Every structure is written in C-alpha cells, then in structure tokens.
Amino acid sequence: MLTRVTTADAMTPISTWAPLRSRIYRSLWIAQLVSNLGTWMQTVGAQWILVDEPNAAALVSFVQTAITLPVMMLAIPSGVIADLVDRRRLLLGAQSTMAVLAAVLAVATATGHTTPGVLLTLLFLIGCGQALTGPAWQAIQPELVAREQIPAASALGSMNINIGRAVGPAVAGVLVSLSGPTLVFALNAVSFAGIVAVLAVWKRPATARKLPTERPLAALQAGTRFIRAAPAIRRVLLRSILFIAPASALWALLPVIARDELGLSSSGYGLMLGALGLGAVLGALGLSRIRALLTPTQRLTAAAVLFGLASAGAAVLHSVPLVLVLLVGAGLAWLLAMSTMNATMQLLLPGWVRARGLSVYLLVFMGGQALGSLIWGLVAHELGAVSALLIASALLACSAISSVWLPIRHNAEEVDLTPSAYWPDPELVFEPDPEDGPVLVLRSYDVPAENADDFLAAMVFVGRSRQRTGAMEWRLYRDVGVLDRYVEAFVVRSWAEHMHQHQERLTAADFLREQEVSRYTVGDDQITHLVAV
C-alpha cells in the first residue's frame, strides 16, 4: 500500500488511503458514496416505471439520455461558472436543488402523477444539476488534499463511482421488487443530504480578489486558449478518447452478453457489474504499488491491454467464472486508466483555470461513453455483440500500441503551479479602462549570436506560456535595424485580461521558463505596452 521513490514515480511514499486522513475529504467522500448509490438506484427505479409502457424499449433508453445529455450541453459552461464563483456555494446550491427535485419525483410517484413525460423532465433537470456540479467537484479536490496526494484522491474518487455503479443497481432491484420505485426515489432525495451537510460546515478559505471577476465569455475564451496552448493537456484528452471510445463497448453490450451468450438473468448481470466494481476496489488498493512500478503512460498501456482482454474474453468465452475473473481485471483497468488521466489533469491545471480544463475532460469522458455506446450499439445491431466486442478489443490493442508515439507527461507531479506574480508592474502615464484593448505588449531581447539557437528554443516555451495565460496572438521577431536584437510581441484581448495575466495567472513553472531565457540574453529587456485606440 506504500510507494517507494523510483525513477517511474519520484515521490515520497503515499498510501492510497492518505487523503482520507483529511476530515473534510473523508466526510465528502462518504457523502458522495451515499449519493452515488442513490443516483444509480434512481436510474433503476426510473427504468422500472417505464418497462410497462407501450414504447418501453425507446422510453427506457431515454432514461440514460435524460441523465447524460445535460453533461454534453452544460459541461463547458459549468466549468466557466465554477472558475468565476465560489465553488462551495455553487455545489451547495446545486446539491440542494437536486435534493428538492428528487423529492418531487418521489412524491409524484407516490401519488401516481409520474407520467413518462414528468419522469424524463425531472431526470433531465437532475442531470442539469449533476452537470453543473461536475467541474466544481473535481476542481475542489486539490483544495482538500495535498498536491502529492492527488493521484490517491483520484483513485479513491474512481473507486467511489464504481462502488456506486456496482452496488446501487443491485440494492435498487431488491427494493423495487419489495415496495416499488417510490422508495428508491425517496432514498435518492435523502442521499443528497450528506453532501449538503458537509458543504454547509466546510470553512473554505476565502480568496481575496484584487481584480474584477472575468466576464463569462472572456473566461470561456481564456480557457480555450489555455488548452490550445497546453500540449500536455491535449495529450491527456487524446489518450482519454483512445481508451474510452473502444472501452465503452463492454459497458454498453454487457447486458446483451449476459443474456444471450451466457444465459444469465438480471441477477447474473448484477453479478457481472459487481465483478467490475470489485476490480475497481482492488485497483485502488494496489494503486500506490502500481504507481511505484509504472509511469503514467505505462499504466494507460496496461489498462488498455487488460480491458481489451476482458472485452475479447466476454465475447468468446462461455464460462461464467472465467468471464467474471476477466471482468475483475477490467474493473481494475478502468480504475487505473481513469485515476491516471484524472490525476494528470489535476496536476497540470493551475487553479485559475482548473474547472474549465476539467470540464473539457468530463465532456470527453462522458461524451466518449455516450457516443461510444451509441456507435457500438449500432455495430452490434449489424454484426452482433460478439463481433462488436472483438472489434473494440482490437482498437484497445491499437490504443496500447499508440502509447509508444503518444505518451503522456510522466512528471506532472513535479510541475510547480504555485501562483507567481513576478512580472514588474507596467510604467503608466495614464490608467487604461479595464475594457480598453486589444493590448499589444512588446519586449526586446539582446542575444549574443552564439546564444541564438538556445534562445529561440527556450522562447518556444515562453510563447506557449503567454498564450496559456491570455495572449490571443504571439510572435517572435528579429530586429533588422539593431544587431542581435529580438522582439517578442503578443496581443491580449483587454487591459483587464492583461492585468489578470500579470497578477493571477502566472506560475512558478512560467517563471522558470523565463529564467531559462534570461541565461541567453544580455542587458535589460525593454517592455512596451500599447492599447488600441
């Protein structure tokens, strides 16, 4: 359960359970587990209500659509909101609203007023609440645990979700058979109470704002620029797609395999989900040791291989015990992949843009599952579930092989994202209005000829830093009128945005990049600020 310092994972020993030593994290983790159980129980209850309707097949599929569609629609706006407002208050309001909506669903069901339209509408509204909380929930994790514990916290979060996915439907099946869906809807409403209570008592440190809050559209554009100028972030998103798209086939087609290939009933299908959940728990228990042995890219490769083997085994094997063993491996692989990608994203995103970056990751994750499930369903309709799973297995093998050319950053823990307002204040003869702009910033460097190549190589990273922190355009020029002089030019949308860049967005990692540039220059750099008129 403890890691050792190795070349694969140069960290102090961290236990998988270390984040649970934090009282607030432990309380929220337990409350989230109860809420996840309630959410999965609600899904089963909703599907049970619709099975006797004339268009049952279509209506039952609409349940998952009503829950996941809001994520596709609202993930990015939710990330923007979570970066602009107090995340604790946002979560508190959204969780309270979902509790009320879940209670309305329980009351409507108890009084016989839950028509398919009412049910799907309430599920959609609850899904909107979940979409709103997703980026904010992910973004507060680094506020709850130390930076070195983020990978462990990501593993515990993935384990939490998988336990809910495995246990919730089984419990709901029993309760629905005994008393109908009203009880599971009521329990789901109550399940939000724990999160609301913990958030209400959490004393989140107040963040002093020196500058006006960003406007939503400008914040969205800033988040987009950040991701566009962050190759390491884009690589994680690409690896997520390469894994999730083929892996979604097993989740989508598992009920068909259970019924048609293995001859299992609904309880047998629940057992298969339980095997996946057990694998996730075992993965969390062994994650610290795995992290000590494998780099992040190697972990993703192993996850793709394991999940591909499980998908192929589920397709061709007709032995239930063997399939269950493979599904335990698939659960472990799923947790390994999800925790690795989530932790890497958390470690590479600075606080000012964290929710926006994570909202893109959530969109890729949820969208990949939703669209992947749809595509694999269509493939299975044409070719059969067995052929679809074998194709997915082959694509997972390709995903594993592609890691040779498309690795993710192996030292994300070492990136220092501590805010660092190291730029000198501009020398002004008048104070521009916040919305004045665009702003053109010119900075000249005198570079001896023997240092030119090293200087140009170092400036590539400085350029990315400028674009991540606010520059719409960036370019490096050589001055043809002055010997060995280079001029950096970048454009920022407004004076307010440039001040955010000055005072809030720069990090210690950016400072190190600029220090590297200073090694190759002589004299003092000259900086000029120009505001468009």
Side-chain angles (χ1 to χ4, degrees):
M1 291 296 296
L2 295 178
T3 63
R4 293 171 296 178
V5 177
T6 69
T7 56
D9 207 31
M11 296 177 62
T12 54
I14 299 295
S15 166
T16 301
W17 308 110
L20 295 176
R21 296 173 189 148
S22 164
R23 183 182 62 83
I24 184 65
Y25 179 87
R26 181 174 64 251
S27 300
L28 281 173
W29 190 89
I30 295 171
Q32 184 193 26
L33 177 60
V34 174
S35 182
N36 282 333
L37 290 170
T39 298
W40 282 100
M41 289 166 61
Q42 171 190 261
T43 301
V44 172
Q47 292 170 335
W48 184 262
I49 284 180
L50 299 174
V51 292
D52 293 326
E53 294 293 328
N55 300 317
L59 290 173
V60 168
S61 67
F62 289 162
V63 169
Q64 201 61 36
T65 302
I67 296 172
T68 58
L69 183 61
V71 177
M72 305 286 289
M73 296 170 53
L74 301 176
I76 302 300
S78 297
V80 172
I81 294 171
D83 275 333
L84 299 185
V85 304
D86 185 281
R87 291 166 184 160
R88 171 185 164 275
R89 293 183 178 179
L90 175 63
L91 289 169
L92 194 56
Q95 294 287 332
S96 301
T97 302
M98 286 190 288
V100 172
L101 291 170
V104 170
L105 178 57
V107 172
T109 304
T111 57
H113 292 90
T114 306
T115 63
V118 170
L119 175 64
L120 293 174
T121 299
L122 287 172
L123 290 179
F124 178 81
L125 293 175
I126 293 172
C128 290
Q130 292 171 335
L132 191 62
T133 62
W137 184 270
Q138 293 287 333
I140 66 169
Q141 302 304 306
E143 300 179 37
L144 304 176
V145 300
R147 181 173 174 81
E148 63 270 15
Q149 294 178 358
I150 287 177
S154 296
L156 288 171
S158 298
M159 182 176 72
N160 193 311
I161 293 171
N162 281 280
I163 292 174
R165 186 200 296 261
V167 177
V171 174
V174 174
L175 294 178
V176 169
S177 65
L178 293 176
S179 60
T182 300
L183 178 59
V184 297
F185 292 154
L187 290 175
N188 183 47
V190 174
S191 72
F192 290 103
I195 294 180
V196 172
V198 177
L199 290 172
V201 301
W202 177 29
K203 304 299 182 184
R204 184 174 185 250
T207 302
R209 286 189 177 271
K210 300 179 181 179
L211 298 170
T213 302
E214 297 176 78
R215 298 194 177 196
L217 181 58
L220 175 61
Q221 293 169 338
T224 303
R225 284 193 296 269
F226 181 92
I227 292 175
R228 195 166 57 230
I233 295 289
R234 298 201 312 271
R235 181 61 56 81
V236 176
L237 296 175
L238 176 60
R239 297 288 342 160
S240 299
I241 295 172
L242 292 176
F243 178 81
I244 291 168
S248 63
L250 183 63
W251 291 106
L253 301 177
L254 197 59
V256 180
I257 294 296
R259 183 190 63 191
D260 297 344
E261 302 299 324
L262 299 177
L264 298 176
S265 63
S266 58
S267 61
Y269 171 58
L271 187 62
M272 297 174 81
L273 288 177
L276 285 162
L278 175 61
V281 173
L282 294 177
L285 294 176
L287 182 65
S288 57
R289 188 175 298 277
I290 295 172
R291 291 183 64 246
L293 298 173
L294 302 176
T295 66
T297 299
Q298 290 169 342
R299 296 199 292 270
L300 291 181
T301 302
V305 171
L306 272 177
F307 211 91
L309 290 174
S311 298
V316 301
L317 296 177
H318 297 283
S319 169
V320 174
L322 286 178
V323 171
L324 290 176
V325 170
L326 288 173
L327 290 178
V328 170
L332 187 153
W334 184 263
L335 178 129
L336 192 60
M338 294 304 102
S339 62
T340 298
M341 291 184 288
N342 184 280
T344 304
M345 288 290 291
Q346 296 271 13
L347 291 167
L348 292 176
L349 287 166
W352 69 270
V353 76
R354 184 178 296 127
R356 278 166 277 187
L358 289 170
S359 71
V360 177
Y361 170 71
L362 289 173
L363 180 62
V364 168
F365 175 68
M366 297 296 292
Q369 277 196 292
L371 295 178
S373 296
L374 175 61
I375 292 171
W376 290 116
L378 295 174
V379 173
H381 177 73
E382 295 295 328
L383 304 178
V386 171
S387 297
L389 282 178
L390 290 176
I391 294 171
S393 300
L395 291 176
L396 282 165
C398 293
S399 173
I401 295 171
S402 70
S403 63
V404 175
W405 301 280
L406 299 171
I408 63 173
R409 187 160 187 162
H410 67 278
N411 62 340
E413 296 93 342
E414 300 172 13
V415 180
D416 189 354
L417 298 181
T418 306
S420 178
Y422 58 88
W423 282 359
D425 290 332
E427 296 182 6
L428 306 175
V429 294
F430 73 94
E431 182 71 32
D433 291 332
E435 292 307 310
D436 282 352
V439 177
L440 173 63
V441 181
L442 303 175
R443 184 171 186 172
S444 62
Y445 304 87
D446 292 323
V447 184
E450 63 271 17
N451 293 344
D453 289 342
D454 292 329
F455 168 78
L456 293 174
M459 284 300 292
V460 171
F461 298 99
V462 170
R464 290 177 185 167
S465 168
R466 304 286 194 252
Q467 292 171 300
R468 283 196 303 269
T469 55
M472 298 187 297
E473 301 175 29
W474 179 87
R475 183 79 66 176
L476 183 65
Y477 299 88
R478 184 167 185 178
D479 192 334
V480 297
V482 181
L483 183 66
D484 295 333
R485 174 164 293 178
Y486 294 82
V487 178
E488 174 192 11
F490 62 93
V491 178
V492 185
R493 186 188 65 85
S494 67
W495 186 254
E497 179 121 10
H498 186 49
M499 288 300 96
H500 280 287
Q501 189 179 31
H502 255 273
Q503 300 180 24
E504 295 181 349
R505 296 179 180 176
L506 295 169
T507 67
D510 297 313
F511 177 62
L512 291 177
R513 292 298 188 187
E514 295 203 35
Q515 275 193 320
E516 177 70 11
V517 167
S518 67
R519 293 175 53 194
Y520 310 117
T521 64
V522 295
D524 295 329
D525 303 334
Q526 298 177 7
I527 304 173
T528 304
H529 294 79
L530 307 175
V531 179
V533 296

